[in-house]
Amino acid sequence: MKFIKFNDKNVDSFLFMELADLTKTLTKDEEMEIEYRVSSYYDPLQKKIYLSHFWDNRPRTDMVNGLKSDVFLRSIGTAKHTDFQAVHTFVTSIRKMENRSFAKQLFMLLEDIRLEELCKHERPGTKKAFGTRRAVYRKYFESQMNVNLVKGVYTDAFFNACYLMLTTENPFEEIPSITESLDLATPFIRSEISKAYEAKATSEIVTICLEVMDVLEDIVEKDMLNHYFHLAELDYEQLEQGLTMDDLKRKPKLANDDVLETDKDGDEDIHDETMPTWHQETSEATKSFLQFDLEQGSKTDLMGEGVREGDDGDQALGMIQGSSQQTSRNDYSKLEAMESRKGEEKSGKDNEFGRENRFAFPVFKDPTPSTYEQVRAYEENKKSISLYQKKLKQMIEKTLEHKKILPRTDLQFGRLNKKLLRLWTDDNPRLFLKKNQPSSKIDAVFSLLVDCSASMFDKMNETKLGITLFHEALKSVQVPHQIVGFWEDTNDATETSQPNYFNTVIDFTSSLKRSSGPEIMQLEPEEDNRDGYAIRHMTKRLLQRSEEQKFLLVFSDGEPAANGYEQNGIIDTHEAVLEARKRGIEVINVFLSNGEIDEAQQKTIQNMYGRYSILVPNIEELPDVLFPLLKKLLHKSI
């Protein structure tokens, strides 16, 4: 496992999920996704909104408001008010232009201005985010214009000037001289692009852009060098295709395509009569119809005026359309809701282990018989942690014994005693008792999930030592537990098939056996890791246990890294942790390192596990760190 950075920036999972929820709420589409890209745009075919990296490495307030403005602009604006047929017309019109980049970016600029005004009108609460957006962009384009003028990149400088002209609050704001030809065209272009504020549809923005480009094509020598806004060239023809009435009324082809040679003789048995339908739960007869769909048969020239004799090979589907009132016998009024719920259950089952893991599948492995070397190595580890294990066992036994001998009567809470005389004779009467004796066992279960990715090669031996402490300590106080190593096979993983291995070296059944333990030494560094997927599998196992207290400890050394899991791995892991905690499982991360843990690493772990992380900067100190953790968790379970 290694730290993967995107534009030298770790993903803030809390902010990402907030933006994702905001997007789904505004679009009213649960399948809508967000993703970070260089530029912001909306892809309706993929149902995905891309947020711009432009807002990275800015003050927190500016970054959050900037990303929210991207969400508002695409969710409220582009998704609902952009005419993609008009966009397709525009893209087709500029294909032969020499300044295509300028034309596309100008279109996006003007369309965004139009959509921004619509967003602020429909949802006034977005004004703050758009105010930040405009202020940051104005400052950016002003500096870009000066840089481009110095470098002699005049087309880019003019585009920067167009943004400043569009967003200025001072109608008399002057734009620096760029070139003589552009200076002469500036008044006309300023007038044209200002019409974006009055445009009612995307088609009007197209008209404005084509008018401006008609002028600029003659005076601009080179196309733009920089990329400020992105107009995605999607498959607009596919986007515009939809079900028409002809599609709804289309007739499927017959299984056979032959024609009977027999012509009409005029003596065919023709039936021309109305066939109404009615049943006893219909209060009034209605104009219902009976429809038959034939899938197989030969064509004739009867044109519906005659019939042929049917045979038992024919199939017909009768569909009855009518109206009925509620009956007292069987209540079907909630049928639609029931069907909807079934669909939701099916969808939930498909995404049981997370949307990012829909192509992942588990491969469960059992431990092999321990070798002599593994047994000897395990005995060495036992000697190293024996002091901790004995100390912890004595402490737990004393606590349980103390709990047993505590008084069971004359308490201030519990069951009410039958002897109530002290209610009148004592100033502070103790009228309660505890009937049941406390259990001599700890009602808890543990699951230890060990990252077996390749980056654990320099930490695995010390990790095994810490896990040995857990195993021996839990075994000595009769607490069931399991120890599972997980990894993803890099060589066999593809975009649609990702095998994830789970090596259960210690299971719940064998965890309390005296001979168990050497199997831990079979844990070895392997390949990639898909943390969210593994956590969900362990959550499923723990939920099948009857113990009251359930703990899941994840030993890892960094971010998730697997096929197609790079950007959303942190988010998926965080969601898996939240799901487990909502279901009563305490998830704790033990972060392993061989050196100082920098602030970025701490932030990443916090994004995945929140405050429930234990950072171990020196892997050799792992037993010293795990001892107080295990002590605290066991005390909590008594």
Side-chain angles (χ1 to χ4, degrees):
M1 182 188 285
K2 63 181 179 180
F3 280 94
I4 301 175
K5 307 220 178 206
F6 312 102
N7 281 15
D8 296 327
K9 178 178 180 295
N10 291 306
V11 176
D12 185 336
S13 60
F14 290 101
L15 177 60
F16 188 90
M17 286 189 292
E18 180 184 344
L19 296 172
D21 290 342
L22 180 62
T23 301
K24 292 175 182 178
T25 301
L26 293 175
T27 58
K28 298 179 180 180
D29 187 348
E30 285 296 321
E31 296 182 359
M32 191 67 69
E33 297 179 347
I34 63 171
E35 189 175 312
Y36 291 119
R37 283 285 175 91
V38 176
S39 301
S40 171
Y41 66 95
Y42 168 56
D43 187 342
L45 298 175
Q46 300 293 329
K47 284 195 172 183
K48 190 171 288 187
I49 288 175
Y50 295 97
L51 309 182
S52 175
H53 279 301
F54 173 80
W55 305 106
D56 292 354
N57 305 317
R58 297 187 182 276
R60 176 75 182 181
T61 304
D62 291 349
M63 179 188 70
V64 173
N65 284 330
L67 290 171
K68 285 184 177 179
S69 70
D70 277 353
V71 172
F72 295 147
L73 200 59
R74 305 302 164 216
S75 302
I76 306 172
T78 309
K80 297 179 180 179
H81 298 289
T82 293
D83 180 0
F84 289 99
Q85 187 59 44
V87 177
H88 177 56
T89 302
F90 176 74
V91 171
T92 305
S93 303
I94 64 171
R95 278 178 182 163
K96 296 183 179 180
M97 289 186 181
E98 295 182 359
N99 300 294
R100 286 188 299 277
S101 179
F102 188 98
K104 290 165 67 175
Q105 295 191 62
L106 179 64
F107 172 83
M108 282 301 296
L109 169 60
L110 299 183
E111 178 71 354
D112 282 357
I113 291 292
R114 182 183 77 88
L115 296 175
E116 181 180 325
E117 296 304 310
L118 282 172
C119 293
K120 290 189 288 187
H121 176 72
E122 290 186 12
R123 292 184 177 265
T126 63
K127 290 181 180 179
K128 179 180 177 181
F130 282 120
T132 302
R133 180 188 186 87
R134 184 160 294 191
V136 172
Y137 263 120
R138 276 192 61 84
K139 185 176 180 180
Y140 172 72
F141 277 115
E142 189 172 351
S143 64
Q144 281 290 296
M145 182 178 66
N146 294 330
V147 169
N148 289 325
L149 284 173
V150 171
K151 291 182 176 180
V153 187
Y154 298 120
T155 309
D156 292 55
F158 186 71
F159 182 83
N160 302 145
C162 287
Y163 183 89
L164 296 175
M165 287 188 290
L166 267 173
T167 57
T168 183
E169 295 180 359
N170 179 12
F172 302 105
E173 181 177 352
E174 292 295 330
I175 299 299
S177 175
I178 300 176
T179 65
E180 183 179 354
S181 56
L182 285 174
D183 292 343
L184 292 174
T186 295
F188 169 76
I189 293 174
R190 183 199 289 261
S191 173
E192 285 296 313
I193 61 177
S194 297
K195 295 178 182 178
Y197 288 99
E198 302 172 1
K200 303 296 183 184
T202 307
S203 57
E204 296 181 34
I205 297 295
V206 171
T207 303
I208 295 170
C209 288
L210 292 177
E211 289 286 340
V212 172
M213 292 309 301
D214 189 44
V215 173
L216 291 180
E217 278 290 283
D218 296 330
I219 58 178
V220 174
E221 297 178 358
K222 294 182 179 180
D223 200 1
M224 286 182 65
L225 182 64
N226 296 302
H227 198 85
Y228 299 110
F229 298 102
H230 179 66
L231 174 60
E233 295 193 22
L234 308 173
D235 188 352
Y236 295 107
E237 294 181 359
Q238 178 183 346
L239 182 64
E240 290 300 321
Q241 289 176 356
L243 287 177
T244 63
M245 284 303 295
D246 291 335
D247 295 324
L248 295 173
K249 296 189 295 183
R250 67 183 182 273
K251 299 176 181 178
K253 295 182 179 180
L254 296 174
N256 57 314
D257 189 16
D258 58 335
V259 180
L260 294 179
E261 298 179 356
T262 306
D263 296 331
K264 289 192 294 183
D265 297 329
D267 57 349
E268 290 79 17
D269 186 12
I270 299 175
H271 296 274
D272 186 9
E273 60 180 295
T274 304
M275 292 191 299
T277 62
W278 181 87
H279 57 87
Q280 61 182 3
E281 292 187 2
T282 303
S283 59
E284 296 180 0
T286 58
K287 297 181 179 179
S288 304
F289 66 90
L290 191 66
Q291 175 179 323
F292 294 92
D293 290 341
L294 297 181
E295 297 179 354
Q296 185 170 349
S298 299
K299 300 175 184 177
T300 72
D301 60 349
L302 297 179
M303 298 299 291
E305 296 178 359
V307 298
R308 63 177 175 85
E309 183 180 358
D311 56 54
D312 55 7
D314 291 336
Q315 294 182 2
L317 172 66
M319 301 176 64
I320 309 298
Q321 175 178 330
S323 62
S324 62
Q325 295 181 350
Q326 186 174 354
T327 173
S328 60
R329 297 182 180 179
N330 296 305
D331 182 11
Y332 296 103
S333 59
K334 297 181 180 179
L335 180 61
E336 184 177 349
M338 291 168 61
E339 291 176 349
S340 175
R341 192 176 297 115
K342 286 180 181 178
E344 291 175 2
E345 291 174 357
K346 182 178 179 182
S347 175
K349 188 175 182 181
D350 293 340
N351 293 327
E352 181 182 4
F353 298 105
R355 182 178 178 84
E356 298 299 326
N357 309 307
R358 57 191 180 277
F359 299 117
F361 61 91
V363 180
F364 299 105
K365 295 186 64 177
D366 295 323
T368 58
S370 301
T371 63
Y372 173 75
E373 289 76 13
Q374 291 171 347
V375 173
R376 189 175 62 179
Y378 185 74
E379 291 299 325
E380 291 293 326
N381 280 354
K382 278 180 65 176
K383 290 180 183 179
S384 301
I385 56 90
S386 60
L387 181 63
Y388 295 106
Q389 182 258 326
K390 290 177 182 178
K391 188 176 179 181
L392 189 64
K393 182 181 179 182
Q394 292 174 358
M395 179 193 66
I396 295 299
E397 288 177 346
K398 286 182 180 180
T399 304
L400 290 172
E401 185 65 27
H402 178 68
K403 192 175 180 181
K404 273 187 178 182
I405 64 176
L406 283 174
R408 311 298 298 166
T409 59
D410 298 337
L411 303 175
Q412 290 183 337
F413 59 89
R415 290 174 175 265
L416 183 64
N417 200 327
K418 293 182 179 180
K419 300 176 181 180
L420 302 178
L421 182 61
R422 280 175 294 182
L423 184 61
W424 290 274
T425 59
D426 294 356
D427 293 334
N428 186 21
R430 294 172 177 265
L431 304 175
F432 299 92
L433 57 85
K434 288 187 177 179
K435 187 175 181 180
N436 297 327
Q437 289 293 324
S439 173
S440 60
K441 294 184 178 180
I442 301 174
D443 191 17
V445 63
F446 283 75
S447 180
L448 277 63
L449 190 59
V450 185
D451 170 19
C452 289
S453 61
S455 60
M456 287 285 288
F457 76 95
D458 59 343
K459 310 177 189 74
M460 188 57 79
N461 290 334
E462 290 80 4
T463 303
K464 291 176 186 177
L465 182 63
I467 292 171
T468 301
L469 169 61
F470 255 90
H471 173 63
E472 291 298 325
L474 293 174
K475 184 168 64 172
S476 65
V477 293
Q478 296 296 298
V479 175
H481 55 280
Q482 68 170 357
I483 301 171
V484 182
F486 72 98
W487 69 92
E488 180 172 293
D489 192 327
T490 307
N491 296 326
D492 294 340
T494 64
E495 291 184 0
T496 57
S497 175
Q498 293 137 11
N500 279 254
Y501 288 82
F502 294 91
N503 187 10
T504 307
V505 292
I506 302 290
D507 59 24
F508 292 118
T509 306
S510 64
S511 61
L512 303 183
K513 294 180 179 179
R514 287 189 62 182
S515 60
S516 65
E519 298 84 359
I520 293 173
M521 309 311 290
Q522 297 180 21
L523 294 173
E524 296 294 340
E526 302 287 348
E527 299 177 47
D528 286 347
N529 57 303
R530 190 177 291 269
D531 293 25
Y533 185 67
I535 289 172
R536 288 185 175 92
H537 268 283
M538 295 306 103
T539 298
K540 187 177 180 180
R541 288 188 185 182
L542 285 172
L543 290 174
Q544 296 171 354
R545 302 288 302 183
S546 60
E547 288 82 1
E548 183 178 353
Q549 296 283 340
K550 299 178 176 67
F551 300 99
L552 172 58
L553 276 72
V554 184
F555 292 79
S556 65
D557 69 334
E559 293 182 22
N563 191 304
Y565 202 61
E566 289 79 9
Q567 180 165 339
N568 294 328
I570 297 175
I571 310 300
D572 182 64
T573 302
H574 180 70
E575 289 177 346
V577 171
L578 288 182
E579 291 166 9
R581 288 174 179 162
K582 286 178 182 178
R583 306 184 78 172
I585 299 173
E586 293 196 34
V587 184
I588 300 171
N589 171 251
V590 180
F591 179 73
L592 310 172
S593 178
N594 261 333
E596 184 179 353
I597 304 172
D598 60 36
E599 185 179 350
Q601 289 176 318
Q602 294 183 31
K603 179 68 175 175
T604 301
I605 298 304
Q606 183 181 0
N607 282 340
M608 291 190 287
Y609 296 96
R611 296 180 292 108
Y612 299 91
S613 296
I614 296 176
L615 306 179
V616 187
N618 187 354
I619 189 66
E620 296 177 356
E621 299 174 358
L622 184 58
D624 297 320
V625 175
L626 293 181
F627 177 75
L629 169 64
L630 187 54
K631 175 183 173 182
K632 182 178 180 180
L633 295 180
L634 289 175
H635 257 295
K636 185 176 182 179
S637 306
I638 296 176

